[in-house]
Amino acid sequence: MIKLSNIEKVYQTSNIETLALNNINIDIKKGEFVSIMGPSGCGKSTLLNIMGLLDEPSNGTIAIDNKPVEKFTDKDLAYLRNQKIGFIFQSFHLINDLSILDNVEIPLLYRTSTNKSRREAAKEALEKVGLSNRMKHFPNQLSGGQKQRVAIARAIVGNPEIILADEPTGNLDSAMGNEILNILLQLNAAGSTIVMVTHDENMAKKTHRLIRLFDGTQVS
Amino acid sequence: MLFNYIKIAWKVLLRHPFYTFITLFGITLTLTVLMVLTSFIDHLLGSHYPEYKRDKSLYIMNLTIQDSARSSMNNSPLSYNFIKEHIQKLKTPEKVGFSTFVSFANSYLNGKKIKLNTKFCDANFWEVTDYEFLEGKPFNEQNIANGEHVVVITDAIKKQYFEDETASAVGKSIEIDNEKFRVIGVVKAAPVTRLMTFSDVFFPYNLPKSNYQTAGLQGNFTAIVLAKSKSDFKAIQEEFNASVNRIPLPIALYGQKYDVIEVRAQTYTDTVLHTFMSGGREIYFYIGIVFILLILMGLPAINLVNLNVSRIMERASEIGIRKAFGAPSSALAWQFIIENIFITMIGGSFALILTLIIISIFNDSGLILHADLSINFSVFGVSLLVCLVFGLLSGVVPALRMSKMKVIDALKSS
Ligand SMILES: Nc1ncnc2c1ncn2[C@@H]1O[C@H](COP(=O)(O)OP(=O)(O)OP(=O)(O)O)[C@@H](O)[C@H]1O
Ligand SMILES: [Mg+2]
């Protein structure tokens, strides 16, 4: 489903060059639940961003459904992000000016849908993460864990085939964390392909496959 | 989708009352400047009382004579003779009226000296212009032929002179420059900025004081040539120029010989611009005017675009988020363009109200005598267009900038 070949990512800042990813080869199959682990700064978020078509690698190729994305236009990429991918950011990235409900609706705004169906779908997604009582709130009125759950609701609202989750349970207590993991497991059981970055060995164990990164290199 | 964009815009505005206030304040101020300026230009150049037919009229204001070496030049209004020979005889126009520029006369009222603006004009002057007669009527050919000492005064002068405002002033006598005149009509006063038509009192052109029988081409009259329609302008100008070309050259004046005559029948705008210039160099004047206008209108406009652009760029992270969830650049561009037009329109409505207040204060202030600045259809149209253009411009610029931005960079810029 997602195939990364010889991916390399170099960050160039003033005179320091950081090699964030080095020769990464990953093939994620349809229906797989893959976890990524590694110490802080080893390139996990960078890798996930590249998979989610949010960032471009310095070298190497990405193929989604066997189609290389290099040739895609801005419009094609937007379509893929919208229809295929649901992203959960490590730092949430909610729009502070919009209510929780409006935030969750965002992916649906760029599809053909009615106001009403959008509302319904967003409410349903918020119910799944246990936040239906906070719909009218604004992001800065929520705790870190609650924001994380909004971010999850937004990622799943459009039933994407692929969910990319960057430490989705990093800000949650273990009970809530397990609940979220269960949601992801259910989505996976229902057919979603999931890639999750985590620091929790126990969670990683419940997934199909574990990729370990160290200093930008794939070690297992 | 349109409704959604407006809804988003509205929500964003409400979420940041202070920031919204600052932005709207800036936009309102900018648009107010533009609107007042437009209104002012329209006041100066548009078709307003008592020259509603300005767009159907040609004005002849000046006649310049030069020697062949162009070293000596004489520039002055027209003589009555010139008007009679070369303007009144024209076949193409509908009508020709003429008058002097304003001059001054003294009058005494209860021992107090009053300085009056005076004008001498013919009977047709009242037909090529649209002075509204509140009382009485204009003087006609007959009055002029009889050499009657009649005068048309404005309502403002009537107020000063006659204690009983309700009683008609017609038939009463008024003393100006130690001569008595019979009031024949009272007109509504016109703003002082109507260079060709403004005055306090109007006399028949043939009163001795007007010196209308000076010899030569130059004197102190100006003419308004009313065309049947705008499309006749060219024909009128051609006929007029042909007539002027028949004047035998050279002309002798004060012992000097002049071989070149320059006199034009022009639209009001061209006439005004021309007046500030002497032959051939008007292009610099146009450039100057355009330059000043550009600065006057350009600075606030740039400010407006800047304000809107920074308002959008501050939301780079929102752009990143929307892109991450599938917003194509075009959708975002539309969102911001519509948002900008929306906020600019809100600012525009405030500006419209503010402008109305400002021009009504200005009109009452007497800075320009009898000023009648207004927001008419064209001023409003121009203002609306300005709002739209800047709303569009300030949406397109950031839209283009952000479409070049990578999603991850937009996200990280928060
Ligand atoms: N925009 C950037 N410019 C320069 N260097 C960057 C940039 N983003 C990330 N890096 C560097 O790339 C490396 C990998 O960063 P990344 O965010 O992928 O780490 P991570 O594994 O997700 O860490 P964490 O577990 O703390 O989230 C780090 O050394 C980081 O400093
Ligand atoms: Mg990370």
Side-chain angles (χ1 to χ4, degrees), chain A residues 11 13 18 20 39-46 90 167 199, chain B residues 412:
Chain A
Y11 286 114
T13 41
T18 315
S40 179
C42 70
K44 305 183 293 294
S45 294
T46 306
Q90 186 174 8
E167 300 192 39
H199 282 296
Chain B
K412 279 186 177 163

Side-chain angles (χ1 to χ4, degrees), chain B residues 115-161:
Chain B
K115 205 169 168 192
L116 289 176
N117 295 292
T118 64
K119 218 179 208 354
F120 296 87
C121 55
D122 73 337
N124 274 350
F125 175 81
W126 301 110
E127 295 182 40
V128 295
T129 62
D130 301 276
Y131 266 110
E132 182 189 343
F133 276 82
L134 304 170
E135 293 168 23
K137 54 181 176 28
F139 41 79
N140 56 25
E141 305 285 2
Q142 197 58 51
N143 300 123
I144 293 173
N146 296 345
E148 290 175 38
H149 268 51
V150 288
V151 65
V152 170
I153 64 173
T154 63
D155 52 351
I157 294 302
K158 179 195 166 189
K159 219 183 214 166
Q160 281 187 38
Y161 270 83

Side-chain angles (χ1 to χ4, degrees), chain A residues 9 11 49 54-56 74 78 81-82 87 89 93-98 102 106-107 109-110 115 118 138 140 154, chain B residues 1 4 7-8 11-12 15-16 315 318 321-329 331-332 335 406-408 411-412 414:
Chain A
K9 179 72 183 177
Y11 286 114
N49 289 338
L54 306 181
D55 203 355
E56 288 162 12
D74 174 82
R81 290 182 200 120
N82 185 242
F87 210 102
F89 294 99
H93 286 314
L94 303 177
I95 299 176
N96 287 324
D97 292 334
L98 299 183
D102 286 333
I106 284 174
L109 273 181
Y110 304 105
N115 274 329
R118 274 203 299 275
F138 285 89
N140 51 17
R154 181 180 55 185
Chain B
M1 214 59 215
N4 262 316
K7 212 171 71 183
I8 292 171
K11 280 179 184 168
V12 171
R15 282 286 290 160
H16 303 281
R315 284 156 65 197
E318 173 181 342
I321 293 166
R322 289 184 185 276
K323 275 193 156 185
F325 288 98
S329 295
L332 289 174
Q335 179 190 329
K406 276 197 290 180
V407 183
I408 198 71
L411 278 173
K412 279 186 177 163
S414 57

